[in-house]
């Protein structure tokens, strides 16, 4: 009996590692700060047709509204209640988006902020996205309701009440993260409110959650909350499907709290991945692309089955969170396309692509003075919708990295090579490397300051393939470079270090 329960629990927790993507899709995209109506349209017109597996959405619940600075993006990480009206839209718009995305095979993953409510200095009144009254000073949130009994302050032992030392696991979990009112998740009542919020979303059809600030929550409390979650809605998912859980834990080493403590609960964000990949593509600290032959667990990253990987995220693309200056973002577009291409070609982890908005970046002594700036907005602070230009790029300050040809085509590449092993590695002991994915795909990078000119074994069937980086296959024609693979699987590659994008990728479905 005991064994049976153990097996059941193990099976249950394992299931939370599965993103439940449809039709062999393998990548998700974070549509940071997008409105629900725009995401619904994007699922139908772009994400579904181009093989994206899912969307990470910004927090959908009621949040504080801040005037100074003016409507920062981070106001959404300060919950006021679990009512579903936010800067991205109303509950009806949210439901419509979930339905329409599910109907085209694109999953929705919710960013769940459950460690805290708003900052202690958040004041009192109805400056909240659904207009609910609250008092930060009295720790009173009647529309949940939470009262001062539901917060952790009595457990926190620091002078300021904030986390002061990340070397002390107790204060990291029980004190306030940058002054944010810390919820007492050991209380059954609080767990019930959080699980109720998440279950409402599951019943609406979401496929899972990015759980915010997990380092600041006890794994036991999270286990209790996840254990209360419903199975996914059987309108779109097989019976018995557990919600996909990926937990934000920043573990670059050197702290007592590690990612490992969360592995049994779901996947975990692997922050080493983007930090190291950025250092490699920037060629800092003597790093070389050729050193990535054993990329993945060989680099000390977490086990493949636990990892959620990304080149940059909404925090570290603007100096918040972790990773520092090595992180590559859309601001360094040429390096960024290569780094994202590398990630999507490589079998390690569940991959997340970032989709950003532009802001007036203004770096003084290494710090971005405008790191707070919210999404493209109208004068009243409401978020602008995302216009699509005739060339398929986005307007009005939306970057839409996920629509860049090179990135979109590598999302398709990843789907085409899904399940195939990392194979046929080649490098020049510097920054020119190539690898394949069985007999389904092959990619070649030149991040050196000289040309690449080499014949390689691709492992692919003979034929002419269209490079999906410099162009793509359209009908029976190729708008980019053509690569001729001989009957022996060998092909000649020439990549100038001055090419617009110094990498080439071919796959089974780009064969002409
Ligand atoms: C300020 C002072 C505090 C003071 C407080 C008083 O800094 O010392 O006690 O006022 O009220 C914003 C402001 C911050 C302010 C705080 C509370 O930037 O200056 O504190 O609000 O009012 C995002 C932003 C934060 C922002 C927060 C809430 O990054 O700047 O804080 O939203 O609006 C660690 C964690 C990791 C975290 C990462 C950023 O381990 O979990 O830091 N990442 C996630 C999210 C991130 C989010 C949060 C967690 C919090 O990805 O976007 O923080 O939900 O590494
Ligand atoms: Ca906490």
């Amino acid at each position: 009996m005991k064994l049976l329960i153990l097996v059941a629990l193990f099976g249950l927790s394992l299931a939370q590692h599965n993103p439940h993507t449809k039709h062999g899709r393998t990548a998700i995209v974070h549509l940071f700060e997008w409105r629900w109506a725009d995401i619904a349209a994007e699922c139908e017109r772009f994400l579904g047709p181009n093989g994206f597996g899912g969307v990470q959405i910004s927090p959908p619940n009621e949040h504080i509204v801040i005037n100074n600075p003016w409507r920062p993006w981070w106001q959404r990480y300060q919950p006021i209640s679990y009512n579903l009206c936010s800067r991205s839209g109303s509950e009806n718009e949210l439901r419509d988006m979930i339905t329409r995305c599910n109907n085209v095979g694109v999953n929705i993953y919710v960013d769940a902020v459950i460690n805290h409510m708003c900052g202690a200095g958040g004041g009192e009144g109805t400056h909240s996205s659904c207009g609910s009254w609250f008092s930060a000073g009295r720790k009173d949130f009647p529309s949940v309701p939470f009262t001062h009994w539901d917060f952790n302050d009595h457990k926190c032992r620091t002078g300021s009440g904030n986390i002061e030392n990340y070397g002390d696991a107790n204060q990291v979990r029980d004190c306030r993260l940058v002054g944010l009112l810390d919820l007492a998740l050991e209380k059954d009542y609080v767990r019930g409110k959080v699980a109720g919020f998440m279950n409402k979303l599951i019943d609406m059809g979401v496929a899972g959650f990015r759980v915010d600030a997990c380092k600041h929550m006890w794994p036991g409390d999270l286990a209790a909350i996840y254990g209360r979650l419903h199975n996914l809605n059987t309108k779109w998912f097989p019976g018995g499907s557990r919600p996909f859980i990926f937990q934000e834990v920043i573990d670059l080493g050197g702290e007592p709290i590690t990612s490992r403590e969360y592995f049994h609960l779901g996947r975990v964000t692997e922050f080493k991945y983007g930090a190291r990949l950025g250092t490699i593509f920037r060629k800092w600290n003597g790093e070389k692309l050729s050193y990535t032959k054993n990329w993945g667990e060989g680099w000390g990253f977490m086990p493949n089955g636990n990892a959620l990987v990304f080149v940059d995220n909404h925090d570290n693309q603007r100096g918040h969170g972790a990773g520092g200056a090595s992180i590559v973002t859309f601001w360094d577009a040429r390096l960024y396309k290569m780094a994202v291409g590398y990630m999507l070609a490589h079998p390690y982890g569940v991959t997340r692509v970032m989709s950003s908005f532009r802001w007036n970046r203004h770096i003084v002594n290494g710090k971005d003075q405008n790191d707070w700036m919210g999404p493209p907005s109208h004068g009243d602070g409401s978020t602008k919708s995302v216009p699509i230009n005739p060339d398929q790029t986005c307007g009005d300050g939306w970057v839409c990295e996920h629509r860049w040809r090179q990135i979109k085509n590598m999302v398709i590449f990843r789907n085409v090579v899904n399940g195939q092993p990392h194979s046929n590695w080649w490098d020049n002991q510097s920054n020119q490397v190539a690898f394949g994915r069985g007999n389904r795909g092959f990619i070649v990078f030149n991040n050196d300051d000289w040309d690449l000119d080499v014949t390689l074994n691709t492992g692919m069937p003979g034929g002419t393939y269209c490079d999906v980086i410099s162009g793509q296959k359209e009908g029976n024609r190729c708008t980019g470079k053509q690569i001729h693979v001989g009957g022996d699987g060998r092909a000649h590659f020439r990549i100038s270090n001055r090419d617009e994008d110094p990498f080439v990728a071919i796959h089974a479905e780009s064969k002409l």
Side-chain angles (χ1 to χ4, degrees):
M1 185 63 195
K2 254 189 192 150
L3 188 73
L4 261 178
I5 292 173
L6 265 178
V7 168
L9 278 175
F10 186 64
L12 200 88
S13 65
L14 259 188
Q16 291 171 179
H17 297 75
N18 179 348
H20 301 298
T21 43
K22 312 270 182 17
H23 320 301
R25 299 178 180 192
T26 55
I28 69 180
V29 56
H30 181 194
L31 296 180
F32 179 46
E33 284 280 8
W34 280 44
R35 294 165 62 253
W36 308 147
D38 290 315
I39 296 178
E42 189 71 350
C43 283
E44 294 170 341
R45 72 190 164 201
F46 188 84
L47 301 175
N50 287 295
F52 283 77
V55 183
Q56 177 184 323
I57 62 168
S58 284
N61 59 297
E62 184 169 22
H63 55 84
I64 198 169
V65 173
I66 291 177
N67 293 330
N68 187 20
W70 178 252
R71 307 291 151 84
W73 62 268
W74 43 254
Q75 64 184 15
R76 298 186 70 174
Y77 290 89
Q78 302 199 24
I80 295 301
S81 81
Y82 301 125
N83 300 331
L84 297 174
C85 28
S86 66
R87 192 176 193 173
S88 287
S90 67
E91 177 168 342
N92 281 337
E93 290 168 312
L94 177 70
R95 187 183 299 276
D96 179 61
M97 171 195 77
I98 295 168
T99 302
R100 288 164 59 190
C101 290
N102 277 331
N103 286 347
V104 293
V106 179
N107 291 346
I108 297 294
Y109 307 103
V110 170
D111 195 346
V113 184
I114 59 176
N115 170 66
H116 51 262
M117 300 298 278
C118 67
E124 180 173 306
T126 55
H127 47 294
S128 51
S129 56
C130 319
S132 301
W133 183 91
F134 68 99
S135 168
R138 280 187 273 162
K139 295 182 238 175
D140 194 11
F141 298 88
S143 49
V144 179
F146 285 142
T147 66
H148 67 281
W149 298 107
D150 300 317
F151 293 87
N152 265 336
D153 299 277
H154 60 288
K155 279 199 283 171
C156 171
R157 303 259 170 276
T158 65
S160 63
N162 289 352
I163 299 166
E164 294 171 1
N165 173 13
Y166 274 76
D168 174 352
N170 287 301
Q171 52 174 285
V172 174
R173 264 82 178 247
D174 293 337
C175 296
R176 297 172 180 176
L177 166 63
V178 295
L180 299 161
L181 295 172
D182 204 58
L183 284 167
L185 293 169
E186 86 277 15
K187 287 186 65 178
D188 191 65
Y189 173 76
V190 177
R191 290 174 179 177
K193 285 295 171 189
V194 169
F197 158 58
M198 295 170 84
N199 278 331
K200 179 164 182 185
L201 292 159
I202 290 172
D203 296 346
M204 286 167 79
V206 308
F209 302 91
R210 176 247 185 207
V211 185
D212 181 68
C214 285
K215 183 188 284 183
H216 307 282
M217 298 184 276
W218 294 97
D221 291 341
L222 290 174
I225 291 166
Y226 301 162
R228 290 194 189 191
L229 298 183
H230 297 169
N231 289 335
L232 299 185
N233 188 324
T234 52
K235 181 163 181 211
W236 292 291
F237 302 95
S241 299
R242 296 299 295 157
F244 178 48
I245 302 276
F246 58 106
Q247 307 167 99
E248 188 224 15
V249 179
I250 302 177
D251 177 2
L252 295 173
E255 287 177 24
I257 299 176
T258 62
S259 298
R260 201 174 316 118
E261 294 177 47
Y262 298 85
F263 287 171
H264 62 296
L265 299 170
R267 285 190 183 248
V268 181
T269 50
E270 179 49 279
F271 275 83
K272 290 174 185 164
Y273 193 101
R276 304 277 187 281
L277 199 59
T279 311
I280 293 160
F281 274 99
R282 291 182 189 281
K283 298 187 259 188
W284 285 357
N285 309 338
E287 289 287 4
K288 294 186 170 123
L289 202 46
S290 60
Y291 299 162
T292 64
K293 184 174 184 180
N294 62 342
W295 187 242
E297 291 170 18
W299 272 61
F301 301 162
M302 64 183 71
N304 181 24
N306 286 106
L308 186 293
V309 300
F310 45 95
V311 172
D312 62 328
N313 80 348
H314 73 280
D315 283 328
N316 63 20
Q317 67 172 198
R318 48 174 52 69
H320 287 234
S326 78
I327 300 295
V328 284
T329 70
F330 69 88
W331 294 109
D332 302 294
R334 193 166 183 264
L335 286 184
Y336 191 65
K337 286 178 274 184
M338 277 199 278
V340 174
Y342 192 99
M343 171 181 82
L344 290 169
H346 195 279
Y348 180 80
V350 167
T351 49
R352 178 179 62 193
V353 170
M354 182 69 202
S355 189
S356 316
F357 57 80
R358 228 173 289 279
W359 70 97
N360 300 329
R361 197 164 66 140
H362 179 53
I363 297 176
V364 180
N365 296 327
K367 157 112 171 89
D368 184 353
Q369 305 303 300
N370 288 330
D371 65 344
W372 58 271
M373 284 189 167
S377 296
H378 301 286
D380 64 356
S382 62
T383 303
K384 287 188 178 172
S385 65
V386 182
I388 307 299
N389 300 320
D391 68 356
Q392 299 302 307
T393 60
C394 301
D396 264 356
W398 299 97
V399 182
C400 289
E401 295 92 314
H402 69 287
R403 279 177 167 261
W404 295 2
R405 182 191 65 239
Q406 301 84 343
I407 293 178
K408 174 212 46 165
N409 283 343
M410 285 308 298
V411 167
I412 295 169
F413 178 109
R414 188 176 190 77
N415 294 343
V416 172
V417 304
N418 190 20
Q420 296 288 319
H422 188 262
S423 54
N424 293 304
W425 174 269
W426 169 85
D427 69 69
N428 71 341
Q429 302 191 335
S430 185
N431 293 291
Q432 300 180 350
V433 306
F435 62 90
R437 296 291 304 278
N439 59 5
R440 301 277 295 166
F442 196 74
I443 191 162
V444 188
F445 294 88
N446 179 11
N447 198 31
D448 272 325
D449 300 325
W450 58 87
D451 291 354
L452 173 150
D453 196 339
V454 66
T455 298
L456 299 172
N457 179 19
T458 66
M460 310 264 297
T464 300
Y465 292 82
C466 184
D467 168 31
V468 299
I469 303 304
S470 55
Q472 58 197 8
K473 187 177 146 187
E474 277 167 17
N476 250 339
R477 118 168 214 284
C478 176
T479 60
K481 298 180 187 169
Q482 297 191 13
I483 305 293
H484 304 283
V485 177
D488 59 357
R490 291 165 68 80
H492 180 245
F493 294 91
R494 220 199 85 86
I495 305 175
S496 163
N497 63 310
R498 287 176 311 271
D499 279 357
E500 182 182 342
D501 295 305
F503 65 122
V504 165
I506 57 175
H507 59 72
E509 288 174 16
S510 80
K511 194 171 179 190
L512 293 170

